[in-house]
């Protein structure tokens, strides 16, 4: 089906969305997700630690073989989203202790579309059985939850991808806005997270407040700052200087 300007955003904006499947196992679900991407004009599929046999079987999915053959595999979520300035996760579980703001698809889609006008966005979907882990969620700025009935709240992976992608192209021609600042990429935010964790460990802060998921908490904290690219550079420089000073202070005098 040819591109229809009245139905979907421009191809350039669509190509800025990265659909990321984390640890998928069912070849039918992988194929269905790729087919939904093809239906709505999205091309960039990324897979984090997919189950090998299922991925090979899924590559023959009808109507989506091109997307699957060009899909890129990664060993971690951090690598899969490092070129994105916005990372959005999806979740179905209602009684989970989430540390993120959760939005309905129609509201989340508006924010994603605005970001797509200027930079890359990653949309994460978890495994069929467990969803996104806490570590994967820590890379996200916020989450999307598709409203479902109480009797069966979890959607099939392919269906969830289709619903979210449909919302992204629905009425998008009425919402073209550009942001006046360029946000920091996920790669830059991960560098800041690593340096901040190192500084907290060196200073002894984490020894006073021992928690098992300190890295995930700090990662979420950094992403809530919504740092623009220009500020990320400053933060990286400040943290490097602080670490250098602390390390110098800890050296014995000659």
């Amino acid at each position: 089906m040819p591109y229809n300007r009245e139905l979907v955003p421009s191809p350039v904006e669509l190509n800025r969305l990265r659909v990321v499947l984390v640890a998928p196992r069912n070849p039918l679900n992988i194929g269905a997700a790729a087919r939904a991407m093809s239906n709505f004009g999205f091309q960039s599929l990324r897979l984090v630690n997919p189950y090998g046999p299922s991925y090979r079987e899924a590559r023959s999915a009808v109507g989506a073989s091109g997307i699957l053959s060009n899909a890129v595999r990664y060993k971690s979520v951090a690598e899969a989203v490092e070129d994105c300035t916005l990372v959005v996760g999806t979740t179905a579980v209602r009684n989970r202790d989430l540390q993120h703001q959760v939005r309905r698809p129609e509201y989340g889609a508006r924010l994603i579309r605005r970001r797509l006008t200027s930079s890359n966005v990653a949309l994460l979907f978890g495994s069929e059985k467990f969803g996104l882990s806490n570590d994967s969620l820590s890379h996200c700025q916020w989450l999307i939850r598709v409203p479902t009935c109480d009797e069966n709240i979890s959607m099939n992976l392919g269906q969830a991808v289709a619903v979210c992608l449909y919302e992204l192209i629905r009425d998008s021609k009425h919402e073209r806005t550009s942001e006046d600042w360029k946000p920091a990429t996920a790669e830059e935010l991960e560098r800041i997270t690593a340096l901040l964790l190192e500084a907290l460990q060196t200073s002894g802060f984490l020894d006073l407040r021992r928690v098992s998921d300190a890295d995930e908490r700090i990662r979420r904290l950094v992403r809530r700052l919504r740092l623009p690219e220009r500020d990320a550079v400053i933060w990286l420089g400040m943290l490097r200087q602080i670490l250098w000073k602390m390390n110098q202070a800890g050296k014995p005098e000659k």
Side-chain angles (χ1 to χ4, degrees), residues 1-53:
M1 178 179 175
Y3 165 70
N4 188 328
R5 186 174 297 276
E6 293 302 313
L7 292 179
V8 298
S10 74
V12 172
E13 293 176 22
L14 295 182
N15 288 338
R16 290 185 179 133
L17 183 80
R18 283 76 171 98
V19 176
V20 182
L21 307 184
V22 182
R25 295 188 60 85
N26 189 318
L28 296 177
N29 287 337
I30 299 174
R35 181 64 184 268
M37 292 176 62
S38 179
N39 288 145
F40 298 117
F42 298 92
Q43 298 296 319
S44 180
L45 176 62
R46 299 180 175 185
L47 300 106
V48 178
N49 293 324
Y51 181 55

Side-chain angles (χ1 to χ4, degrees), residues 31-207:
R35 181 64 184 268
M37 292 176 62
S38 179
N39 288 145
F40 298 117
F42 298 92
Q43 298 296 319
S44 180
L45 176 62
R46 299 180 175 185
L47 300 106
V48 178
N49 293 324
Y51 181 55
S54 295
Y55 176 56
R56 288 190 291 272
E57 184 179 345
R59 294 182 69 172
S60 62
V62 176
S65 57
I67 291 175
L68 286 167
S69 62
N70 292 321
V72 183
R73 287 184 285 180
Y74 295 87
K75 294 181 179 180
S76 68
V77 171
E79 293 175 345
V81 304
E82 65 180 12
D83 64 337
C84 301
T85 65
L86 175 63
V87 181
V88 179
T90 55
T91 183
V93 183
R94 294 174 183 167
N95 57 0
R96 189 171 179 176
D97 183 21
L98 298 172
Q99 304 296 320
H100 299 75
Q101 184 174 7
V102 181
R103 294 183 167 98
R104 289 170 62 105
E106 61 269 34
Y107 303 124
R110 295 173 187 171
L111 300 177
I112 291 174
R113 284 198 296 265
R114 292 170 187 168
R115 187 63 65 88
L116 287 174
T117 62
S118 60
S119 57
N120 299 332
V121 175
L123 184 57
L124 272 59
F125 297 87
S127 69
E128 297 91 331
K129 189 172 183 179
F130 301 108
L132 292 171
S133 67
N134 287 334
D135 181 71
S136 295
L137 289 173
S138 71
H139 291 273
C140 303
Q141 274 93 338
W142 44 270
L143 307 176
I144 284 178
R145 177 184 288 149
V146 178
T148 52
C149 66
D150 292 334
E151 288 74 17
N152 191 2
I153 66 172
S154 180
M155 294 184 69
N156 171 273
L157 175 61
Q159 293 174 328
V161 172
V163 169
C164 292
L165 296 186
Y166 169 70
E167 287 295 340
L168 280 172
I169 61 108
R170 184 169 68 91
D171 295 331
S172 59
K173 63 181 182 294
H174 300 302
E175 297 184 13
R176 300 297 178 84
T177 61
S178 60
E179 298 180 330
D180 57 1
W181 58 279
K182 186 177 181 181
T185 65
E187 181 181 18
E188 291 168 324
L189 294 179
E190 190 65 9
R191 289 177 184 170
I192 291 172
T193 301
L195 287 173
L196 182 54
L197 278 168
E198 186 179 350
L200 294 174
Q201 290 166 350
T202 302
S203 68
F205 179 87
L206 294 182
D207 294 331

